[in-house]
Structures are given as structure tokens and as C-alpha cells.
Amino acid sequence: MDRSFSPVARAEANRQIATLKSESAALDTGKFRVALMRITALADNGHTELNDERPRPNYVPVRVTLFADGLHVLRAKSAYADLLGARVESIEARPTREVVAALERLQGGTEGWRRTRAAIYVHSPEVLYGAGIGSRPDQTTWTLRLPNGSEVTRTLPGESSDGHEPHAEMTRWLSPEQMHGEPSNWRALSSSDTDLPLPLREFNRAFRRTWLNDDCTLFLQLKAIRDVDDQHIGDFLKDTTDEMHGHPPCNIILDMRFNSGGDYAKVAAFASHLAGFVPASGRIYILTGPQTFSAAITTTAFVKQAAGSRAVILGEPVGDRLAFYREGNTGCLPHAGLCVHFATGMHDYAHRCNDWGRCFWLNWLFPVRVKSLAPDETITMTYAAYTARRDPVFDRAVALAAAHE
């Protein structure tokens, strides 16, 4: 049912499925899960993937974030708090960069999006074992360099990954703010977010609005294109629009880096009219990254389409191409419980999509045409910058906005 597979990829997927069916002995959970992940990755489509929430694989008792200068532990259970801030040098005696590269092959899509998935898969001994990296599905051995420079090797257990343990995109661990329902025995690298850069504070707030540069530049942050808990995106966008009517901004900084999508129809009108609140001499600085995905990409494209040359994209490339498949549904194996999301609707934000058999119909009501969403300036986040309490992408946007006041 997934339409993103090329004929060659579909033939290979069917061949691998046939091989699985012909196995004389049943695969254990780890190897079976990874076999399915490799099949979905053949589609080379970010939305076509094995859903890791039903059921989740096991996880180690730490959480890591992949920075430009390495993989670092930013969250840990109390018993492993000594590892906070440590750089992961190797996993199962293999250099971390090689392990991440191997795990990227379990996901389709752009390099950046595959990297974000790999930074999640690395937590699971079961996945590491299934991918042929680890020797056991119930534990994994990591070598880490502690903040004091010493090196330690630790065997981390694979623990049951129930709904009470913290699960999120890798960038969530940039914030020490406790997640909703997070057990009290988890520790963060920082005790408070008060000295962190503005975009990393109050991370549980999905929608934020703050004035900068003597109330001339408006900072907007969207972490989702949907309602989150009791936070309603429609109310936020209306309040923001009302505020801009009364106080037009000189410039706008729109932070979409931590936004994996939702329903773009909820934000289409707002995003398409945002440029109208900025004077001809002003700019809209859009902050993007590999986690900017799905409807967040559409939203970014709405703003870029309307603002034209006044839109300046800063950060890293968004998490998908301008042409991709999404929509669809989920199909689950009745006994294993593993579920695959299949994509059926084509989106093309660079060209008109005229094939009713493939194109997502809603795009005719909300057309998007942009030549590129590549950053005008590519800026990454390093662990060194993070521990110095700097956000290079945001800092650059603030500096550029100040120059255009």
C-alpha cells in the first residue's frame, strides 16, 4: 500500500519478505525488528518506517544527543548520573561514528533525518543486537570519556521501555526540564534551564512568543503543528496575530528546529500571511534543522513562499526533500505487535503535482512552490557551544535582526 517504493526497491523489499517467510527457525525479537526496519528503509522515504512505539524496544538508562562534535549523555538515571556530560567514544568496541552510520541504514530519507533516527536507535541494546553491532539483546557496552577527561567502560542494561520512561527526539535532552510523567529518578546534566539560551528554556511549552532587541524583533517558536496537551495552536496563532496587529515587528525569528510536524492546515493561513507584518526592510529568519519534518517543512515553505527574499533560513537542512510521501496509515503484525507506517500521498513543493493517483489532494487547496529550503547559512550546534550556554543558530539570527532594525 505504500507508494513511495520505486519498482526496484519494491522488488527488493518483496525479496527480503520472501526470505523472512522461508526461514526455518523464527528470528528473535531484535533481529526480526531490524529486518523489518531494513525493509521499510528501502523506500528511502522519511515517513515510511517501523513504528517504534508498539511495542518499543528496550532502552539503556541514559539519554544521548548527537552534536556536531560527538554523542554526549544529557540525561541518566540516578545510578548512572556519573556519566552525565560524557562523550560516547565507542559502542561494542566500535567507534561511535561507525555505529551511528550503521544505524542510519535502518531508516529512509535524507541524511539528516536518518541521523536523528540513529540517535534514538543507539539507546536500544535490542536494536544494536539486531543490527549485528551488539552481541546480546539485553545489554550493551559503551566506552565514554567523562568531563574530567578520564575514560570509562560501562555495561548498560536494556530496560523495559514503558510509557513512564522519558522518550523523545534527541534534541529534547537539551533541556533539563522534566517531561510530563518523567520518573523522579532521572537526572539531567543541568539542574535548571535559567541560564540556557532562550530557545532551550521552558521546553515543555510547545508554542512561545517573546520580544527581543528592544521589542523590535519578535521571536516565535513552534515545536508542533498541532495541539499539545492543553496548549492549543489555534489560540496561540490568533493571539500572536492580534499582538502583531497592535505592535508590528521590525523582524521575526521563527524557530522550527524542534518541530516534527502535525497538521499544516492549522497553520497555513498564519504562515502565508506572516510576511505581511514585517516591513519591506525587515526579515523573517527561519531556524531549521534535521528535526524540522513533515508539516513543519510545509510551514517553513509557506513562509518562504510568501516572504521571498526577505526569508532567511539559518541552521541545518530540514529533515526531508521537497518531494516526499506522507499521509497513509499503519499496519500491524497481529502476533509480533510491530507496526509499519505506510505513506500514500505525494507532496511536491518544488513542482505542481498533477497525478490524482499519487498526489495528496489537500495540496491543491494549500499550494506551495519554492525552489529550495536549503539554509542561507549552515550553522550547527556543538557540545562545546551548548556547555558554554550558547545557541549559535539563534545568536546569529538575533545579530542579523539587530542589523536590520
Side-chain angles (χ1 to χ4, degrees):
M1 296 180 71
D2 190 290
R3 297 176 180 172
S4 64
F5 284 83
S6 69
V8 172
R10 191 179 304 280
E12 175 59 21
N14 286 329
R15 187 194 68 78
Q16 292 189 23
I17 291 170
T19 299
L20 287 175
K21 287 182 177 181
S22 67
E23 291 282 353
S24 58
L27 295 178
D28 56 44
T29 303
K31 292 190 180 298
F32 186 52
R33 179 189 294 273
V34 170
L36 298 182
M37 293 170 76
R38 286 179 170 141
I39 290 171
T40 59
L42 290 169
D44 194 24
N45 182 56
H47 287 81
T48 302
E49 61 182 354
L50 193 71
N51 188 327
D52 67 354
E53 296 183 359
R54 292 183 288 178
R56 292 186 189 273
N58 60 8
Y59 269 41
V60 293
V62 301
R63 298 291 182 267
V64 298
T65 295
L66 185 59
F67 295 89
D69 52 354
L71 189 71
H72 288 262
V73 178
L74 298 189
R75 206 65 140 233
K77 281 191 172 180
S78 300
Y80 300 88
D82 61 307
L83 301 179
L84 287 168
R87 174 188 166 108
V88 185
E89 299 289 345
S90 66
I91 296 173
E92 299 293 333
R94 294 176 58 175
T96 302
R97 65 181 180 279
E98 291 183 9
V99 172
V100 171
L103 295 176
E104 286 179 8
R105 293 194 285 272
L106 304 183
Q107 171 69 51
T110 64
E111 179 183 358
W113 180 246
R114 290 186 285 109
R115 189 169 66 246
T116 67
R117 301 295 93 188
I120 295 176
Y121 304 151
V122 75
H123 291 106
S124 175
E126 182 181 302
V127 173
L128 293 169
Y129 162 76
I133 297 168
S135 58
R136 291 177 52 166
D138 60 338
Q139 65 181 42
T140 180
T141 300
W142 292 10
T143 298
L144 309 99
R145 188 166 301 281
L146 301 178
N148 64 11
S150 63
E151 191 173 273
V152 298
T153 298
R154 298 284 289 273
T155 296
L156 305 174
E159 300 180 342
S160 175
S161 190
D162 61 37
H164 298 292
E165 299 297 339
H167 293 284
E169 300 287 346
M170 68 171 187
T171 51
R172 177 60 182 80
W173 316 125
L174 295 170
S175 167
E177 187 175 24
Q178 191 176 43
M179 294 180 67
H180 296 305
E182 182 177 336
S184 60
N185 63 335
W186 280 86
R187 302 286 179 266
L189 177 61
S190 302
S191 59
S192 170
D193 67 359
T194 55
D195 63 343
L196 289 177
L198 174 63
L200 304 183
R201 298 179 212 154
E202 301 179 275
F203 217 86
N204 288 337
R205 287 179 59 188
F207 319 115
R208 302 176 65 206
R209 178 177 63 249
T210 303
W211 289 93
L212 308 169
N213 295 343
D214 297 323
D215 291 345
C216 191
T217 296
L218 180 60
F219 172 69
L220 301 175
Q221 187 174 54
L222 301 180
K223 296 195 182 83
I225 311 298
R226 55 181 172 77
D227 296 341
V228 178
D229 299 324
D230 60 349
Q231 304 170 69
H232 300 285
I233 189 170
D235 293 342
F236 173 81
L237 298 179
K238 181 182 183 304
D239 292 344
T240 300
T241 300
D242 291 345
E243 188 166 329
M244 289 190 296
H245 275 300
H247 182 182
C250 306
N251 304 281
I252 293 173
I253 298 174
L254 176 62
D255 191 351
M256 302 291 288
R257 290 175 294 172
F258 314 119
N259 192 325
S260 293
D263 179 0
Y264 72 67
K266 293 180 179 294
V267 75
F270 176 85
S272 298
H273 292 92
L274 192 60
F277 291 97
V278 178
S281 59
R283 299 287 185 273
I284 299 179
Y285 299 97
I286 311 172
L287 314 186
T288 64
Q291 194 184 310
T292 307
F293 192 66
S294 196
I297 295 176
T298 318
T299 303
T300 300
F302 282 139
V303 177
K304 174 82 178 281
Q305 175 177 249
S309 62
R310 291 188 296 155
V312 179
I313 299 179
L314 305 172
E316 297 181 75
V318 298
D320 213 337
R321 308 173 180 101
L322 289 182
F324 58 88
Y325 282 83
R326 70 178 189 213
E327 316 320 322
N329 211 320
T330 298
C332 301
L333 291 168
H335 303 298
L338 297 171
C339 302
V340 170
H341 179 269
F342 58 89
T344 58
M346 183 178 180
H347 296 249
D348 191 338
Y349 297 150
H351 310 92
R352 181 174 177 82
C353 194
N354 294 313
D355 186 343
W356 280 96
R358 296 189 303 156
C359 305
F360 181 48
W361 66 271
L362 198 59
N363 290 343
W364 272 283
L365 303 180
F366 300 97
V368 180
R369 300 289 180 274
V370 292
K371 292 183 178 179
S372 173
L373 292 179
D376 294 285
E377 293 185 30
T378 299
I379 308 169
T380 60
M381 170 74 87
T382 64
Y383 181 71
Y386 174 71
T387 53
R389 302 299 189 259
R390 294 191 299 107
D391 181 345
V393 185
F394 175 69
D395 293 346
R396 179 61 173 158
V398 172
L400 289 173
H404 277 91
E405 290 182 1

